[in-house]
Amino acid sequence: MTFTAQDSFSLLGTITSIVLFLSGCNVMYIVYKQRSVGEFSYLPYYSMFGNCFFWVLYGIAKDSGDVMRVNFIGLGITTIYICIFNFYTKPALRMKLFLGNVIGAGLLSVFAVLISLYTDNDVQQDVFGYTALANNVVMYGSPLKKLAEVIKTRDTSAIPLAMVFMSMASSCFWLAFGLLAEMWFVAGPNAAGVVLALAQLIILAWLYFSPGGKYSVDNVDAKTSLIADKEKQIV
């Protein structure tokens, strides 16, 4: 069996995507140590779960093991995150959150079954593809909001540099895969992901060299000697 360029991009995209999925482990560890979810929001993990769920459905309709595999892994990881959040949430909210999980999972399952049973494969690909695409657009809202905050405050702490690089790498790999496989639903959102990551890197670079910028200790830039020489305040 020949290992093609498409297979290479799929493998690299899968690895970088798993790293991004696992980025939530730091928050989960804090929740575990505190025995409470504190001020952390569960919404990003539910959004990630929905995103993976719809991409799995698209992968099944498209008969793409590459798309299914990475998003099955994402489903498993985010399910663990959601279970941790449920376990450590306030007792008064735990049952409400659990019921919400059951209702949400039920609605997603009914949606998937109805589309799968009563439409042909071409319609399934379009429905699941556009649904996944719409979910990606919603997910891009969070970094865009952070980007606006960074520009306003000139403080880069809201944008971890390492994760921006990893996100850009993942988007590049899946963009290349989508183009080679002619999966435009995969290529489209990842092209947007590349543009968004580039925008974040450009703004981080602009703040790095402009006076009055603030740098987070989570960013690689904050640890360089140049920052120390300039005696910038570390936030």
Side-chain angles (χ1 to χ4, degrees):
M1 182 178 177
T2 305
F3 195 73
T4 65
Q6 181 177 314
D7 295 326
S8 299
F9 286 125
S10 172
L11 177 60
L12 292 169
T14 298
I15 293 171
T16 51
S17 293
I18 291 173
V19 172
L20 289 172
F21 290 142
L22 292 174
S23 65
C25 287
N26 183 48
V27 172
M28 296 303 119
Y29 179 72
I30 295 173
V31 168
Y32 167 74
K33 293 290 286 185
Q34 294 179 344
R35 298 295 194 272
S36 170
V37 298
E39 298 298 320
F40 290 115
S41 173
Y42 54 82
L43 292 178
Y45 306 102
Y46 282 97
S47 180
M48 189 185 300
F49 180 91
N51 190 55
C52 291
F53 178 80
F54 290 122
W55 282 116
V56 166
L57 294 178
Y58 175 78
I60 293 173
K62 194 69 176 178
D63 194 23
S64 172
D66 301 287
V67 176
M68 283 188 288
R69 179 172 56 249
V70 65
N71 287 288
F72 265 126
I73 294 171
L75 276 178
I77 293 173
T78 50
T79 297
I80 294 172
Y81 291 161
I82 290 170
C83 288
I84 292 173
F85 257 86
N86 276 261
F87 186 79
Y88 287 112
T89 195
K90 295 178 181 178
L93 298 176
R94 192 173 298 156
M95 183 54 66
K96 292 181 180 179
L97 200 55
F98 174 76
L99 290 175
N101 292 339
V102 173
I103 293 172
L107 291 174
L108 288 175
S109 299
V110 169
F111 171 78
V113 169
L114 290 176
I115 298 299
S116 299
L117 289 179
Y118 295 105
T119 61
D120 59 33
N121 186 258
D122 289 338
V123 174
Q124 291 172 28
Q125 291 182 32
D126 287 342
V127 171
F128 295 142
Y130 279 117
T131 307
L133 186 61
N135 195 75
N136 272 107
V137 171
V138 173
M139 289 186 69
Y140 286 146
S142 178
L144 285 173
K145 183 179 179 181
K146 289 181 180 178
L147 205 56
E149 179 183 341
V150 166
I151 295 172
K152 181 179 179 180
T153 63
R154 302 176 67 81
D155 182 353
T156 66
S157 60
I159 303 179
L161 185 60
M163 295 310 298
V164 174
F165 273 118
M166 189 60 65
S167 177
M168 182 174 178
S170 180
S171 294
C172 285
F173 293 140
W174 285 116
L175 171 59
F177 169 82
L179 293 174
L180 290 173
E182 296 185 353
M183 294 186 188
W184 311 121
F185 282 118
V186 174
N190 282 290
V194 172
V195 173
L196 180 58
L198 275 174
Q200 293 178 86
L201 290 174
I202 290 170
I203 289 174
L204 286 173
W206 167 60
L207 288 174
Y208 181 88
F209 291 107
S210 64
K214 300 178 183 178
Y215 303 91
S216 167
V217 293
D218 293 330
N219 287 338
V220 174
D221 296 328
K223 302 176 183 178
T224 62
S225 59
L226 180 59
I227 297 299
D229 293 340
K230 292 183 178 180
E231 298 182 350
K232 295 294 185 182
Q233 180 184 3
I234 306 300
V235 178

